[in-house]
Amino acid sequence: GPLKPEITITYIAVSAIFFNSGLSLKTEELTSALMHVKLHLFVQIFTLVFFPTAIWVFLQLLSITPINEWLLKGLQTVGCMPPPVSSAVILTKAVGGNEAAAIFNSAFGSFLGIVITPLLLLLFLGSSSSVPFTSIFSQLFMTVVVPLIIGQIVRRYIKDWLERKKPPFGAISSCVLLMIIYTTFCDTFANPNIDLDKFSLIIIVFIIFSVQMSFMFLTFLFSTRNNSTFTPADTVAIVFCSTHKSLTLGIPMLKIVFAGYEHLSLISVPLLIYHPAQILLGSLLVPTIKSWMVSRQK
């Protein structure tokens, strides 16, 4: 159509999101959290090792059910995604947790995700993409890493102006992301051969909420056990950063890794559901977690 998503979305929109992230990320806040190595290791290992492996084991059991196999593959892609740059940080800040650690892990996880997520996708889902492996990384590098670095460089020169004017970075990223989601939904439902039954969709929504709640509870238990050295503020950052997954990086990455793949639309559906689910659940739990953290600190 006139939007030309194969150009505007694949290249321009994705680059715009990460240029915007580069402009808005405060480098000094990330460096202050750099020394909290144990917390960073916990978050990154849980997100990029335990999460995808646990989902894979769970999907071996679900494979014998009548649930749509491409939606199940989509669940696996959710497990392979890195933490998001925004939602985990916003919720950690709302509770009063370790915001600097949340910012660092979200940004660091996104950088790791650029390399690790395509490897995990190809490991768990097989090389179902017609795009050569080198092409995947070169396109990710040009549309994600380069705009992010340029954004950070530009930020150095206009830092004072950014501090004074406070441009609406969140709103800009949300608008661009909305356009990406819109074109993904169009791809999904414009396909006359799409086989999306209501039973599978309802079950997938239920599984996503269950996985989200279970993993939040699991990270909470691990980070608050007796021999743990984490503070209550650290626990808040861990719970949100370890269980949240990036839609901003995820959808563009799926479009690159599975370019031209006929079931790409169905594979994208679980990630499109997981993103609002994590924000909804996180928002509902903010008062409860906040009262727990305050009582623990007292």
Side-chain angles (χ1 to χ4, degrees):
L3 287 176
K4 299 285 181 203
E6 65 278 6
I7 298 167
T8 56
I9 298 299
T10 308
Y11 298 101
I12 300 169
V14 178
S15 300
I17 281 180
F18 286 96
F19 174 72
N20 192 37
S21 295
L23 270 179
S24 59
L25 275 174
K26 294 181 180 177
T27 320
E28 59 274 15
E29 286 183 1
L30 302 183
T31 51
S32 68
L34 190 63
M35 302 312 291
H36 212 332
V37 178
K38 190 180 174 184
L39 189 150
H40 308 326
L41 276 174
F42 182 97
V43 171
Q44 299 308 326
I45 290 170
F46 190 95
T47 310
L48 295 170
V49 180
F50 177 80
F51 202 128
T53 308
I55 292 290
W56 181 82
V57 172
F58 182 50
L59 290 183
Q60 300 313 300
L61 302 172
L62 288 178
S63 61
I64 59 171
T65 65
I67 301 170
N68 188 298
E69 65 168 311
W70 301 108
L71 288 178
L72 292 180
K73 286 181 186 291
L75 270 179
Q76 185 65 68
T77 67
V78 170
C80 297
M81 292 302 154
V85 174
S86 56
S87 62
V89 176
I90 292 164
L91 290 167
T92 302
K93 186 176 183 178
V95 173
N98 190 338
E99 190 188 350
I103 291 169
F104 178 85
N105 277 286
S106 295
F108 183 57
S110 295
F111 277 113
L112 282 180
I114 292 164
V115 177
I116 295 174
T117 296
L119 288 171
L120 289 172
L121 288 171
L122 295 173
L123 173 68
F124 287 110
L125 297 173
S127 186
S128 40
S129 171
S130 57
V131 183
F133 201 63
T134 49
S135 175
I136 294 168
F137 282 108
S138 60
Q139 193 171 340
L140 281 171
F141 185 79
M142 292 307 294
T143 56
V144 176
V145 181
V146 172
L148 201 60
I149 292 169
I150 293 171
Q152 282 280 283
I153 292 168
V154 172
R155 181 183 170 81
R156 289 182 65 185
Y157 292 100
I158 60 167
K159 187 179 171 183
D160 294 335
W161 180 84
L162 290 172
E163 293 296 328
R164 275 199 323 273
K165 296 291 182 181
K166 298 192 185 309
F169 291 118
I172 295 166
S173 284
S174 296
C175 289
V176 179
L177 187 58
L178 194 63
M179 196 165 79
I180 293 173
I181 294 167
Y182 170 71
T183 57
T184 306
F185 269 109
C186 287
D187 285 346
T188 305
F189 298 106
N191 183 356
N193 301 318
I194 188 167
D195 183 27
L196 185 59
D197 60 291
K198 288 179 183 176
F199 168 77
S200 293
L201 195 58
I202 291 166
I203 294 296
I204 289 294
V205 170
F206 175 74
I207 289 170
I208 283 169
F209 274 93
S210 302
V211 164
Q212 178 80 9
M213 286 297 291
S214 302
F215 283 179
M216 285 180 86
F217 184 64
L218 194 62
T219 51
F220 179 80
L221 284 181
F222 267 110
S223 57
T224 55
R225 66 190 192 280
N226 291 332
N227 60 342
S228 168
T229 56
F230 298 124
T231 65
D234 292 341
T235 296
V236 173
I238 286 167
V239 166
F240 289 126
C241 290
S242 301
T243 58
H244 280 212
K245 293 292 183 175
S246 177
L247 182 70
T248 315
L249 191 64
I251 292 295
M253 202 173 279
L254 288 179
K255 282 183 174 290
I256 294 166
V257 176
F258 296 104
Y261 196 57
E262 63 173 317
H263 296 290
L264 169 63
S265 304
L266 280 175
I267 288 173
S268 306
V269 168
L271 187 57
L272 291 169
I273 297 168
Y274 194 93
H275 182 73
Q278 68 190 14
I279 294 170
L280 177 65
L281 278 173
S283 303
L284 290 172
L285 288 170
V286 162
T288 309
I289 298 173
K290 193 169 189 174
S291 62
W292 168 83
M293 192 184 80
V294 171
S295 66
R296 278 295 293 267
Q297 285 174 333
K298 282 179 182 176

